[in-house]
Amino acid sequence: MECRQASTVLQNSNDRQELKDSLGGDLAFTGFADLAFDLPIQFLKEQNIHAHCFVSAGNIFGLQEVQRELLTWKKLWSSTRVSAGFGIVVPTNVFRFELNFCHVLRQLENDRGKRGFQLSFASPY
């Protein structure tokens, strides 16, 4: 997907500078599947600490592609990024903590995704 041009005014200047929008999209879609399962240790079960495996996919595209009917299912799927992983989930009353190992299954040539560990905190709800 090509980057779109965006124009901005530099601070303390009347000059405009053309920049590229790094994502280049106006619309986005994502999909996520998660399989959670208990670990075979009684203490972890009692604390509701569990493991999970997941797959995530998503894409962005511009309104111009939709308006001009340039967006085909084949183009949409071939430019969709996909990743998968597994991890440990620690739910609490205040937040949900996850330690995951993620692996990029598909990315575009200019993407900078990489395989590795990820920590996340989220609302418990």
Side-chain angles (χ1 to χ4, degrees):
M1 171 153 309
E2 294 180 21
C3 294
R4 65 182 175 175
Q5 295 293 329
S7 132
T8 187
V9 176
L10 296 174
Q11 193 173 20
N12 301 324
S13 171
N14 290 331
D15 297 330
R16 292 185 101 43
Q17 179 181 4
E18 293 297 317
L19 300 174
K20 289 196 174 188
D21 181 344
S22 61
L23 293 179
D26 298 307
L27 300 173
F29 79 86
T30 60
F32 184 79
D34 183 271
L35 174 65
F37 52 92
D38 288 333
L39 295 167
I41 300 171
Q42 189 61 34
F43 172 77
L44 297 177
K45 288 181 186 178
E46 291 169 359
Q47 302 301 315
N48 202 22
I49 297 171
H50 58 278
H52 70 151
C53 299
F54 57 89
V55 176
S56 179
N59 201 345
I60 57 172
F61 47 93
L63 289 175
Q64 292 176 351
E65 291 173 296
V66 175
Q67 292 170 349
R68 294 182 187 163
E69 297 178 359
L70 299 173
L71 188 64
T72 64
W73 285 108
K74 183 177 179 181
K75 181 178 178 184
L76 183 64
W77 176 247
S78 68
S79 62
T80 296
R81 285 89 166 165
V82 182
S83 62
F86 59 90
I88 303 293
V89 179
V90 182
T92 71
N93 291 335
V94 180
F95 59 85
R96 173 185 167 117
F97 169 76
E98 293 183 17
L99 173 62
N100 296 314
F101 181 80
C102 304
H103 179 71
V104 176
L105 299 174
R106 185 189 315 155
Q107 64 183 350
L108 300 182
E109 68 180 86
N110 293 325
D111 292 345
R112 288 183 260 165
K114 59 184 178 179
R115 176 179 51 182
F117 287 95
Q118 170 198 36
L119 294 172
S120 73
F121 295 89
S123 169
Y125 307 107

